[in-house]
Amino acid sequence: MDIYKQAYEENIRFERAVLYKFKPIKIPIPFWDSTGGPFDKVPLDAWLELYDENGICGQAPCSENMKDIIPLIMTGETKTYEQWYQKVYWAIRNNGFSGEAAVEVGRFDLALHDIMAKRKGLPLHKFMGAKRDWVNVYASGCGTHLTGQQMVTEVQQFIKEGYTTFKMKVATDFGADLDRDIERIRIVRELIGPQGKLAIDANQLWNAKEAYEFARRVENYNIAWLEEPVHSYDFEELEKLTEISPIPIAMGESPRCGKVMYAYIKAGVKQLQPIPSNLSGVRDWMLVKNQARKYNLELTSGGFSHITASFIATADEEDMVEYLVPLMRTFYDIMELRPEEKDGKFYLPSEPGICVSPDFKLLKKMGCIEAIEFF
């Protein structure tokens, strides 16, 4: 029996939980995309510490909605991983599997996996079967709010840090200035040269016809993929687009359930983008990874990128972590344990469990801890 299966069958009893609530952690420059903004803080509302009967602590980023889950597990009962997960998963059934309740189940599941990995003395990526301690990363940024010079400065910094794949936002101000977007793409392509890979992201703005027309206008810039060009649940428009688009289509950041991803595959996407911190469980992400392999699709994954690195390490070497630098670098800066950023890669630490842990002393000094609750 392998370590992963063995851990699933071991009993767990939860002795206590600690929930840290954070004040807004501001980022240096607010970030905008085509359909949203300003994003002016790290998307981190709270942090869970969950202790088993041996004092082993499982951690995960979360929201205050974790308060709805904690009473379900702080019962004094002893259950296997599977029993705990099924209890919590089905308890949120009537909230649906596409909302914040499902996300919180996934973050509880991450804390559970943290405990199981630490019980085995393994970093999470090794516990989940990874054979390497690094992942390829692409730099994501170029928000629609930046001036031309600000964008140039940002891309030059990405290049200096060793990144060779880049993603930028397009469809400025709900697509109101597409000529400006095309000029921005031209500038970035010139900066990164013909060897750099360049992707563009429209954040679900268009229908198939609009997305196709834009793709035709920019295809000569050798675009690696066009991300979320249509609504994430409009599979009819997506299928229309994939049949005619001169640029490969990427989808998959928005669903909270891995079972939705097969619909993207059937609709003809060329890249799947599951986000571990958006899905309702670790195995949901692993399911999508296996689908990408089965259908020979590219796989990228973002969200809390430094945590996501543990997941991508279990995938193929060419699969990549999205590093949304304007938001996630500040997250990196407030972590005490974290991967090393070097030469366009993340190198994962060898400590057991998930590869990040907040620097609570720093957060306290910054005045960012609003409350601490004990259960």
Side-chain angles (χ1 to χ4, degrees):
M1 181 183 298
D2 64 39
I3 289 175
Y4 196 65
K5 289 182 179 179
Q6 185 184 54
Y8 268 41
E9 295 179 4
E10 292 178 354
N11 288 320
I12 302 174
R13 185 176 71 252
F14 301 111
E15 291 292 329
R16 64 190 177 100
V18 183
L19 190 62
Y20 295 84
K21 182 182 178 183
F22 299 128
K23 296 178 182 177
I25 302 170
K26 295 290 185 177
I27 63 173
I29 301 175
F31 183 80
W32 293 75
D33 58 34
S34 67
T35 59
F39 304 105
D40 59 356
K41 63 185 180 68
V42 178
L44 180 66
D45 298 322
W47 192 268
L48 173 68
E49 291 183 340
L50 184 61
Y51 293 85
D52 74 0
E53 70 273 21
N54 300 311
I56 295 175
C57 177
Q59 301 186 73
C62 64
S63 74
E64 285 197 273
N65 293 331
M66 188 59 68
K67 289 181 183 180
D68 296 329
I69 289 178
I70 290 175
L72 299 173
I73 61 175
M74 300 302 296
T75 61
E77 297 172 288
T78 297
K79 296 179 182 291
T80 65
Y81 162 83
E82 189 68 30
Q83 290 169 335
W84 280 121
Y85 181 77
Q86 292 296 329
K87 177 180 180 178
V88 172
Y89 183 84
W90 291 109
I92 63 99
R93 181 196 66 185
N94 290 342
N95 292 318
F97 296 113
S98 59
E100 292 306 308
V103 172
E104 221 58 18
V105 172
R107 294 174 179 181
F108 161 69
D109 193 30
L110 178 60
L112 260 178
H113 276 75
D114 191 19
I115 288 174
M116 292 190 293
K118 287 173 178 173
R119 283 183 168 190
K120 301 303 178 185
L122 293 171
L124 180 61
H125 64 288
K126 293 289 188 181
F127 175 72
M128 294 193 301
K131 305 301 183 186
R132 55 193 165 89
D133 298 309
W134 58 269
V135 295
N136 285 309
V137 180
Y138 71 85
S140 179
C142 295
T144 58
H145 63 296
L146 295 180
T147 66
Q149 186 54 54
Q150 285 175 323
M151 187 178 69
V152 167
T153 299
E154 183 176 80
V155 174
Q156 287 174 333
Q157 183 62 33
F158 292 163
I159 295 169
K160 183 179 179 181
E161 292 171 358
Y163 297 102
T164 58
T165 300
F166 311 84
K167 191 182 82 175
M168 62 184 296
K169 299 295 186 178
V170 296
T172 302
D173 191 19
F174 292 87
D177 195 352
L178 298 185
D179 289 339
R180 176 177 180 266
D181 287 313
I182 294 169
E183 175 62 12
R184 292 169 63 245
I185 291 172
R186 184 197 65 78
I187 291 170
V188 174
R189 170 51 71 195
E190 187 174 288
L191 286 169
I192 67 176
Q195 301 305 315
K197 290 181 68 175
L198 177 59
I200 57 177
D201 184 356
N203 291 101
Q204 308 183 52
L205 177 65
W206 293 314
N207 60 33
K209 182 176 183 295
E210 292 164 339
Y212 170 72
E213 289 173 352
F214 187 79
R216 283 293 305 274
R217 294 182 68 183
V218 300
E219 64 176 307
N220 60 307
Y221 293 109
N222 190 21
I223 305 300
W225 71 83
L226 170 55
E227 185 169 320
E228 290 198 319
V230 300
H231 194 285
S232 58
Y233 287 149
D234 195 341
F235 296 106
E236 183 177 5
E237 287 297 294
L238 178 60
E239 188 171 349
K240 289 179 187 176
L241 178 61
T242 59
E243 290 179 353
I244 59 175
S245 175
I247 299 172
I249 304 301
M251 298 288 289
E253 285 193 348
S254 297
R256 300 329 193 206
C257 177
K259 293 177 175 58
V260 175
M261 295 295 180
Y262 185 62
Y264 291 132
I265 296 170
K266 289 184 67 177
V269 304
K270 300 302 182 184
Q271 184 184 116
L272 296 178
Q273 301 180 314
I275 295 181
S277 56
N278 278 6
L279 293 170
S280 55
V282 170
R283 286 183 297 181
D284 265 25
W285 190 92
M286 300 295 277
L287 167 68
V288 181
K289 178 194 75 171
N290 291 337
Q291 288 177 324
R293 284 178 172 169
K294 178 179 179 180
Y295 294 100
N296 196 30
L297 302 177
E298 292 184 350
L299 179 74
T300 67
S301 202
F304 290 103
S305 48
H306 299 91
I307 298 175
T308 299
S310 293
F311 291 75
I312 286 288
T314 71
D316 295 336
E317 288 188 8
E318 60 268 26
D319 297 326
M320 304 185 78
V321 172
E322 176 188 6
Y323 185 13
L324 183 53
V325 178
L327 292 180
M328 285 294 111
R329 176 137 300 156
T330 301
F331 176 83
Y332 178 84
D333 290 340
I334 60 174
M335 292 293 119
E336 184 175 30
L337 174 67
R338 57 197 183 184
E340 179 186 7
E341 300 176 7
K342 184 179 178 182
D343 299 329
K345 291 181 170 63
F346 289 167
Y347 292 88
L348 295 160
S350 60
E351 284 83 351
I354 63 172
C355 58
V356 299
S357 182
D359 187 337
F360 286 111
K361 288 183 180 178
L362 174 62
L363 287 163
K364 183 177 180 181
K365 183 178 179 180
M366 293 169 60
C368 293
I369 301 177
E370 182 173 306
I372 307 174
E373 293 188 62
F374 300 88
F375 302 86

